Amino acid sequence: MTTAYRPRRDNLWFARTRNYTIFVLRELTSVFVAWSIVFLLMFLDAVISGSLPAFAALAGQPWMIAINVVALAATCFHAITFLNLAPKATVVRLDGWRVPAWMIQGGNHSLWLLISAVIAYFVLRSP
């Protein structure tokens, strides 16, 4: 009886090329995107239930701030890589002319910055 040859599996296969590394990092950042959603839902629950001081005390803990800073960076990385992939998933044609990838990416990033600026204006303005 012979056994089939099975080559050893390389656990760091994604580290061989930059594209694979970015792909795996983008997929791993989904965990932090999910955490951001859970944190937002916890905030909404605290507002609705009237336990905002308890939530603020939890959110003010150094470990919670550290997690949220990492989650913000991971979410930004996730969003940027997602917006950069849009031209590969969407082909835009105007009167038979294909819109270049840089125009689609530029429009996506510009709209993201504009929406972020509008949200920051309403959140950070003085009462």
Side-chain angles (χ1 to χ4, degrees):
M1 180 170 154
T2 61
T3 58
Y5 170 71
R6 291 191 185 142
R8 287 184 42 92
R9 197 175 278 178
D10 182 14
N11 290 335
L12 295 175
W13 61 269
F14 60 89
R16 286 190 208 126
T17 63
R18 182 179 183 270
N19 287 341
Y20 289 159
T21 303
I22 290 174
F23 168 76
V24 169
L25 286 176
R26 182 178 181 282
E27 295 304 310
L28 290 174
T29 58
S30 299
V31 174
F32 292 102
V33 172
W35 164 251
S36 299
I37 293 168
V38 167
F39 189 77
L40 179 63
L41 290 174
M42 289 169 47
F43 172 68
L44 289 175
D45 180 57
V47 169
I48 291 170
S49 67
S51 59
L52 198 53
F55 176 79
L58 174 67
Q61 297 290 323
W63 61 271
M64 185 67 85
I65 293 171
I67 289 173
N68 286 325
V69 167
V70 171
L72 175 64
T75 303
C76 287
F77 177 80
H78 190 88
I80 289 168
T81 55
F82 177 81
L83 294 175
N84 286 342
L85 288 173
K88 294 182 186 338
T90 306
V91 176
V92 179
R93 294 192 185 275
L94 296 174
D95 197 26
W97 175 71
R98 183 175 176 170
V99 177
W102 65 269
M103 287 182 144
I104 297 171
Q105 288 175 342
N108 287 341
H109 289 284
S110 298
L111 187 61
W112 181 39
L113 289 174
L114 177 67
I115 291 171
S116 297
V118 168
I119 292 171
Y121 171 76
F122 284 110
V123 169
L124 300 175
R125 70 182 175 158
S126 301

